[in-house]
Amino acid sequence: GAGVSQSPSNKVTEKGKDVELRCDPISGHTALYWYRQSLGQGLEFLIYFQGNSAPDKSGLPSDRFSAERTGGSVSTLTIQRTQQEDSAVYLCASSLALGSVAGELFFGEGSRLTVL
Amino acid sequence: AQSVTQPDIHITVSEGASLELRCNYSYGATPYLFWYVQSPGQGLQLLLKYFSGDTLVQGIKGFEAEFKRSQSSFNLRKPSVHWSDAAEYFCAVGALSNAGKSTFGDGTTLTVKP
């Protein structure tokens, strides 16, 4: 597709279950970001992938959160043993990094996670 | 540490009226500043950005923003608001080398009255 695609758009799960959220970036974009947007809050940076470099995981809130990016394209964010405070919209964005300058971010529509 | 403050949680304006959304930032170096818009159920869309040069930047949809270093502000303006501008607006500050790790404000929700 032309834009950043995220799935599922909505996910309801029970506390303690694991969830996987998927992001398919714009073709050719080398940079990929995950954010969390809690109700009434701004975006919280989670993790950043750039090409084949090691990801920047500095924003992950706990070791229950992990992400991978296969083949430099699709990324999966995994939350293990979900807690109610994990309920949020998880947004993915990609950009075409231009040397040392990050290009414009293009966002997906997000995955809304509700933990009961 | 960098931070962004959007003092107004919610603003209501009449269609056709002018708009100004406030943003104050704290950043240790030359900031890279952004405004994004998020319509209901949508991802964020970049309205405009500033790094250097002219302190008045023009963006999409008729928006502009002015960087004022002395006030650490980057306020967003539009001379005449349209009903379709109703959305949530986020200001962000970051580094030129990694704009995606920007720090975002908590957002301002804009309601447009007919």
Side-chain angles (χ1 to χ4, degrees), chain A residues 33 35 37 42 48 56 58 100 108, chain B residues 38 43 90 97-98 100-101 105-106:
Chain A
Y33 303 82
Y35 302 89
Q37 185 178 24
Y48 161 57
D56 179 342
S58 60
S100 62
Chain B
Q38 185 178 32
F90 292 94
S97 61
N98 196 338
K101 280 191 72 176
D106 287 343

Side-chain angles (χ1 to χ4, degrees), chain A residues 3-89:
Chain A
V4 177
S5 178
Q6 291 189 246
S7 62
S9 55
N10 277 288
K11 175 72 176 179
V12 179
T13 190
E14 293 179 347
K15 178 181 173 182
K17 302 275 189 170
D18 297 352
V19 297
E20 287 189 348
L21 308 176
R22 175 189 167 106
C23 173
D24 198 345
I26 293 174
S27 178
H29 279 193
T30 56
L32 186 147
Y33 303 82
W34 282 99
Y35 302 89
R36 178 167 66 178
Q37 185 178 24
S38 301
L39 187 64
Q41 303 289 312
L43 272 68
E44 175 188 5
F45 166 78
L46 297 177
I47 188 168
Y48 161 57
F49 296 90
Q50 171 57 50
N52 295 320
S53 302
D56 179 342
K57 305 178 182 180
S58 60
L60 294 178
S62 78
D63 59 8
R64 296 186 296 105
F65 288 73
S66 62
E68 63 177 21
R69 189 179 185 189
T70 53
S73 181
V74 172
S75 176
T76 302
L77 176 70
T78 300
I79 309 173
Q80 296 178 309
R81 304 180 302 281
T82 52
Q83 304 294 313
Q84 289 182 331
E85 60 263 28
D86 299 333
S87 297
V89 176

Side-chain angles (χ1 to χ4, degrees), chain A residues 33 35 37 40-45 48 56 58 89 91 100-110, chain B residues 32 36 38 41-46 49 88 90 95-107:
Chain A
Y33 303 82
Y35 302 89
Q37 185 178 24
Q41 303 289 312
L43 272 68
E44 175 188 5
F45 166 78
Y48 161 57
D56 179 342
S58 60
V89 176
L91 290 167
S100 62
V101 178
E104 176 181 345
L105 292 176
F106 292 82
F107 283 83
E109 294 184 0
Chain B
Y32 196 11
Y36 291 88
Q38 185 178 32
Q42 303 290 312
L44 276 71
Q45 181 183 21
L46 180 68
K49 60 187 177 186
E88 190 159 19
F90 292 94
L96 179 64
S97 61
N98 196 338
K101 280 191 72 176
S102 300
T103 297
F104 287 76
D106 287 343

